[in-house]
Amino acid sequence: QVQLVESGGGLVQSGGSLRLSCVHSARTLSRYRMGWFRQAPDKEREFVAAITWNGGRTVYADSGKARFIISRDIAKNTVYLQMNSLKPEDTAIYYCAAAWGFSLATTSTDFDSWGQGTQVTVSS
C-alpha cells in the first residue's frame, strides 16, 4: 500500500469548477492505476473516474461524463480530477485510490490504497 493525499476540495456554486489533486507517496506513480470515488451522506461510495498507469486510457461514471476529466502527471506523482459544471448532487467526500497494475479499475475492491478524502460542496 501507498499513501495518498487529496486536496482541492471546497465550496463552489452550481455551475462552477474545482480541480482535485492526489499526491502519491511512492517513489514513482508509474505502474499504478488510479481512480477517484466519492461518497455522499447516507450513500455508498461510488466510482467517479479511473486512469491507467500511463494515462493512456480513462473511464468515467455516467454522472461525470462530459463534465469531469481525470489526468495524471507521472513526474509529479500526482493525479488530478478536473470537475466542471458542478451540480449540487456532486456534493460528497472525494477519495483518491491506487492499485498496482496496468488495466483500468472501476470498483472499490480493485484498489488497496486510499486517501483520507476531500470534501466537495456544491451550493444551488
Side-chain angles (χ1 to χ4, degrees):
Q1 294 187 352
V2 295
Q3 290 188 340
L4 306 170
V5 179
E6 304 99 331
S7 62
L11 174 64
V12 63
Q13 290 187 334
S14 181
S17 298
L18 284 174
R19 188 177 79 158
L20 307 183
S21 298
C22 172
V23 179
H24 189 281
S25 68
R27 187 164 49 185
T28 174
L29 193 53
S30 64
R31 304 296 191 268
Y32 279 87
R33 49 194 176 174
M34 305 294 294
W36 285 96
F37 291 75
R38 67 186 184 186
Q39 187 166 16
D42 300 322
K43 292 188 176 181
E44 293 188 353
R45 189 171 299 188
E46 65 176 7
F47 169 74
V48 176
I51 190 167
T52 50
W53 70 277
N54 62 352
R57 293 179 60 201
T58 58
V59 64
Y60 300 90
D62 288 343
S63 59
K65 283 181 180 178
R67 298 189 301 127
F68 294 175
I69 301 172
I70 187 171
S71 62
R72 65 191 303 165
D73 186 331
I74 294 177
K76 294 183 178 180
N77 277 11
T78 302
V79 176
Y80 304 98
L81 183 68
Q82 176 68 43
M83 304 187 295
N84 302 315
S85 302
L86 284 162
K87 307 173 183 179
E89 51 263 45
D90 293 318
T91 295
I93 298 175
Y94 283 70
Y95 297 92
C96 176
W100 192 93
F102 297 98
S103 60
L104 279 171
T106 61
T107 60
S108 59
T109 54
D110 292 327
F111 295 90
D112 54 13
S113 296
W114 293 83
Q116 82 290 347
T118 184
Q119 177 71 49
V120 171
T121 304
V122 185
S123 62
S124 57

